[in-house]
Structure formats: C-alpha cells, structure tokens
Amino acid sequence: LAFHTGDFVDRGASRTAWKRFAIDVAPLHAARVPLYPVLGNHEYFDHLFLRSRSALAGYFRTFDLPRKDAFGRPLPKTQPEARPPQGSP
C-alpha cells in the first residue's frame, strides 16, 4: 500500500511529465501495489506555471478515481476555468 501526498509532476498540464511519472511508478504497478493519490498544488499548474483547473486533466487521466461522493451522488465534472481576456485588469 502506498500513499502519495501530491505534486506528482512539476506542471499538471505537461503530458511529458505525466509519462515520466508513469515510468517512475511502473514498478509499483507491476508489483500490484495500490497507490492512493492526494492532489497537490503542482497538478494545477499549466505550461506557464499558472494555476488552472484545466491542468488537472492529467491527474484525472492518470488515476482511476471514484466518480461519486460519500453519499453516492455523482461528483461534479471539472470544467476548464474561464480566463479573462489579455489586457483586462
């Protein structure tokens, strides 16, 4: 049994970083060791190191997480956050 307390990658939006993570944990997977992930702040970072909910896509692609809350209700889907137009205050 393994717990990982977040910051799996430097930038959550980086597919290359998630591929590297998959290689790093391949021995655990091969040994059938359950890995329990905890979301860290780096999983939110996009390519410019800005916080972005859309950067979480890599996290949700990587881990098969429950789709229901403790009461059996469906969890809300993660939507990319709207960004203000460039040049706006």
Side-chain angles (χ1 to χ4, degrees):
L1 174 63
F3 288 91
H4 193 301
T5 58
D7 295 346
F8 302 93
V9 294
D10 287 335
R11 292 174 294 146
S14 171
R15 287 185 182 263
T16 302
W18 283 109
K19 287 178 185 176
R20 189 172 39 247
F21 171 77
I23 292 167
D24 290 345
V25 297
L28 289 176
H29 184 70
R32 302 185 66 125
V33 174
L35 175 64
Y36 289 87
V38 176
L39 188 60
N41 66 319
H42 285 229
E43 283 72 56
Y44 282 97
F45 291 157
D46 66 10
H47 296 292
L48 300 174
F49 288 98
L50 300 173
R51 289 179 61 88
S52 166
R53 288 182 67 196
S54 63
L56 288 173
Y59 177 82
F60 289 107
R61 271 194 310 272
T62 302
F63 300 107
D64 183 23
L65 301 169
R67 303 293 184 222
K68 295 184 178 181
D69 68 14
F71 300 102
R73 297 176 297 212
L75 293 171
K77 293 184 179 181
T78 302
Q79 299 294 324
E81 65 187 22
R83 288 187 182 219
Q86 284 213 304
S88 65

